[in-house]
Amino acid sequence: MRMLVVEDEHRIANSIKKGLEQESYAVDVAYNGEDGYDFASTEEYDVIILDLMLPGMDGIDITKELRKEKIHTPILILTAKGQIQDKVKGLDSGADDYLTKPFSFEELLARIRALVRRPKVTVDETLAVSDLTLNSKSFEVKRAGKLIELSNKEFSLLEYLMKNKSRIMTKDQIISHVWDYDADILPNTVEVYIRNLRNKIDLPFNNKKEMIKTVRGFGFKIE
Ligand code: CA
């Protein structure tokens, strides 16, 4: 997991960096808006922690520009206490969450974890494979018009398979896209989740074609 911290107050920026590094995240820091924007638009990050009040380009400008360029990296904005208008503006411009300064490091970590688990694409997008649909914004999954309840992980796994429809995805590919780096992965974890998905996606529709396929020795696909 790689993070970008954009914050002009060096003391805060450096303490966030130090704390995140202790949690095994890789962290880049930018101390002004222009550098922050350059990093965010050229490197790949899992989360961007973005102060709103920055010299030069501010946090709102950066968020708007990135979203305009279809860069959907989750953005957590930092605001000073009481700036309610800023929070609203920040979220409206395409940020995913905000945190008011001063904040505890534990809270920052919790927010980051929640953002990393969230599917990366936050634009309204419906994926469809045959009569199965998945909406990454409303988190709705339906087959033949019938709503299907999935856990977060089942949802992420299904989304990953649907994005790669008809392609065989190996267990390693699935794990690196669906699970956190520190997740407790057992050798049969992927199989267990695939079985859960089958029980919800294929089994209740036994008059229909099975969609989730195991390709023995290679991996899994949906078609
Ligand atoms: Ca600032």
Side-chain angles (χ1 to χ4, degrees), residues 129 131-134 141-144 146-150 154-155 158-159 161-162 193-212 222-223:
V129 179
D131 60 352
L132 179 69
T133 59
L134 175 148
V141 175
K142 288 180 182 168
R143 184 163 187 193
K146 198 170 163 264
L147 207 58
I148 296 168
E149 295 279 341
L150 298 181
E154 289 163 0
F155 183 92
L158 182 64
E159 184 183 42
L161 291 175
M162 287 178 79
Y193 278 87
I194 289 281
R195 196 188 316 133
N196 292 349
L197 271 185
R198 281 207 177 106
N199 287 340
K200 295 178 176 182
I201 303 285
D202 283 330
L203 214 64
F205 302 89
N206 54 10
N207 56 333
K208 291 186 175 270
K209 225 181 86 199
E210 197 177 82
M211 302 188 80
I212 300 168
I222 193 160
E223 61 180 11

Side-chain angles (χ1 to χ4, degrees), residues 6 22 30 54-55 84 86 101 124 177 201 213 218:
V6 188
Q22 277 166 3
L54 292 164
I84 298 202
D86 282 353
K101 291 194 246 183
D124 196 345
H177 282 88
I201 303 285
K213 309 237 163 78
F218 292 97

Side-chain angles (χ1 to χ4, degrees), residues 183-197:
D184 210 358
I185 304 279
L186 300 169
N188 67 342
T189 296
V190 175
E191 279 90 344
V192 169
Y193 278 87
I194 289 281
R195 196 188 316 133
N196 292 349
L197 271 185

